[in-house]
Amino acid sequence: MTDALDDFYAIIPAGGIGSRLWPLSRADAPKFLHDLTGSGSSLLRQTWDRLEPLAGPDRIMVVTGRAHRVAVESQLPGVADHNIVLESEPKDSTAAIGLAAAILHRREPDVVIGSFAADHVIGDARGFRRSVREAVAAARAGYITTIGITPSEPAIGFGYIHAADESLGAEGATTAHAVRSFVEKPDLKTAKKYVANGSYLWNAGMFISRADVLLAEIGRTEPELLAGIEELAAAWDTSARGAVVDRIWPTLKKIAIDYTVAEPAAAAGRMAVVPGDFDWDDVGDFASLAKLQSGGRKNNLAVLGDNARILADSASGIVVSQSNRLISLIGVEDIVVVDTPDALLVTTSANAQRVKGVVDALKVSGRDDVL
């Protein structure tokens, strides 16, 4: 592929169950395996297709759970066996991305890696790839780089990145800026200030860096975690892999890469951000899914499901149907109905974030049969 970057390797962490999309998203069929856009491709497949022109099919690594290997290989027949990293249990993003980076660093010491979630929706693939190319250029200069999304509204469901006003001046990365800080999810008043300021971007969790630079940052904040990752990577391409994974993986600290890499690197002046002007959505709950399905139009009823049977009169919101049941909606606004063979969810867009609480309650009560 003539446009692929020679020193770049893409990493797709495909984990998590997307609990705010329950009961559509389950432990055995998580969000990234679903087609949530009506395109005919799962979110995982769409992620692969966005990255393939940048890295080539032989330079994309997928990190996923052992239970999802068959589904991932079915959806990504082009993924090489040596590019599938299987987790025995979830350990959050530092372990997943760090292990992939350590494996690739041993195979290719100067490699630049980029981590991109498997379950996000991006409308402008060309714009995305332009931003990634700039981020790779900044990474070559030694920065840990992220792509921040230009806010379209004062969203309170995302973290924010505070970018410095001046450009880094890195060759090939004309729009890259230093990161002043990462900011947790704000309240509405604060989010409005951020958007009006113009220096704040949504944190989309995309990280691009030289593998050695990323690993060094993990070592500064979590030396024991890095030691475990390095021991795993040393055994990965050997016959000892299975025994080492079984011994080391359960002991790894469960912590997000925001805390081990992004925040401390920003505080030390080692973090850069490239503004991304492309449409982006993390499809974090059914309210965002409804907006995605309706194209952002209000007073519409979005319907997801190949065999959905819906009768609606003066109704808006979203219906997700995986059964043959007839669903009739009359005079309801911003409703969320998710109908599966063994579970039914009814809520509103305003309460969509609270669905995770249902999942937590089911776990506490031992109702694993519907998780």
Side-chain angles (χ1 to χ4, degrees):
M1 303 191 61
T2 57
D3 292 333
L5 300 164
D6 292 339
D7 58 347
F8 179 67
Y9 224 107
I11 299 169
I12 304 177
I17 65 170
S19 56
R20 290 183 178 87
L21 290 177
W22 179 89
L24 176 64
S25 183
R26 308 284 186 102
D28 60 349
K31 181 173 71 167
F32 62 84
L33 294 176
H34 291 273
D35 173 15
L36 299 183
T37 65
S39 67
S41 296
S42 70
L43 300 186
L44 172 64
R45 181 71 221 191
Q46 291 177 45
T47 304
W48 174 282
D49 290 343
R50 282 194 300 273
L51 293 169
E52 189 173 7
L54 289 164
D58 297 327
R59 294 175 67 85
I60 303 176
M61 177 172 279
V62 181
V63 184
T64 192
R66 287 177 178 173
H68 302 134
R69 177 171 190 163
V70 173
V72 167
E73 290 180 336
S74 174
Q75 293 194 6
L76 305 178
V79 65
D81 184 67
H82 67 275
N83 281 335
I84 296 180
V85 175
L86 299 177
E87 301 174 299
S88 57
E89 60 180 299
K91 286 292 183 178
D92 221 319
S93 52
T94 300
I97 298 169
L99 176 56
I103 293 168
L104 294 174
H105 178 55
R106 285 181 171 272
R107 294 176 184 173
E108 193 174 318
D110 296 326
V111 69
V112 175
I113 59 100
S115 173
F116 307 91
D119 56 3
H120 293 177
V121 174
I122 293 174
D124 179 6
R126 288 185 178 181
F128 164 76
R129 288 193 284 267
R130 282 195 300 270
S131 295
V132 173
R133 288 179 182 277
E134 289 217 17
V136 169
R140 288 176 182 142
Y143 290 94
I144 299 171
T145 310
T146 187
I147 298 174
I149 307 302
T150 303
S152 58
E153 59 182 341
I156 62 174
F158 306 136
Y160 284 72
I161 301 166
H162 188 191
D165 295 332
E166 63 279 359
S167 172
L168 281 180
E171 183 180 354
T174 57
T175 68
H177 293 250
V179 174
R180 289 181 175 173
S181 63
F182 281 78
V183 185
E184 295 295 329
K185 297 176 182 178
D187 57 27
L188 182 59
K189 182 179 179 180
T190 305
K192 287 180 178 178
K193 288 181 180 179
Y194 288 166
V195 174
N197 179 281
S199 297
Y200 290 82
L201 304 162
W202 287 340
N203 179 13
M206 305 179 196
F207 297 102
I208 301 92
S209 171
R210 284 193 348 231
D212 60 334
V213 172
L214 183 82
L215 293 169
E217 195 65 45
I218 296 173
R220 288 188 186 96
T221 57
E222 294 288 343
E224 290 186 11
L225 176 54
L226 178 63
I229 287 171
E230 293 284 16
E231 187 171 355
L232 285 166
W236 198 261
D237 290 327
T238 75
S239 59
R241 179 202 298 181
V244 175
V245 169
D246 290 344
R247 177 171 55 86
I248 297 296
W249 189 262
T251 71
L252 297 182
K253 184 175 181 178
K254 189 174 184 180
I255 185 171
I257 201 166
D258 302 71
Y259 305 124
T260 58
V261 172
E263 292 181 2
R270 293 188 289 268
M271 193 88 196
V273 61
V274 172
D277 292 325
F278 46 85
D279 292 337
W280 168 87
D281 199 315
D282 72 343
V283 203
D285 58 32
F286 284 111
S288 61
L289 181 58
K291 186 177 180 180
L292 183 69
Q293 286 288 325
S294 64
R297 296 183 300 274
K298 294 183 178 180
N299 302 319
N300 274 27
L301 181 67
V303 177
L304 188 64
D306 293 337
N307 300 307
R309 301 171 64 203
I310 312 299
L311 288 177
D313 181 5
S314 302
S316 64
I318 185 168
V319 178
V320 181
S321 176
Q322 292 187 329
S323 74
N324 291 320
R325 200 183 340 262
L326 175 66
I327 300 172
S328 181
L329 305 174
I330 302 171
V332 289
E333 296 181 357
D334 293 327
I335 196 165
V336 173
V337 178
V338 185
D339 186 26
T340 70
D342 62 349
L344 173 68
L345 170 72
V346 181
T347 185
T348 63
S349 294
N351 289 288
Q353 285 277 317
R354 297 174 62 185
V355 173
K356 184 178 185 296
V358 176
V359 175
D360 292 340
L362 289 169
K363 289 177 180 177
V364 171
S365 64
R367 301 290 298 274
D368 296 341
D369 58 312
V370 290
L371 292 175

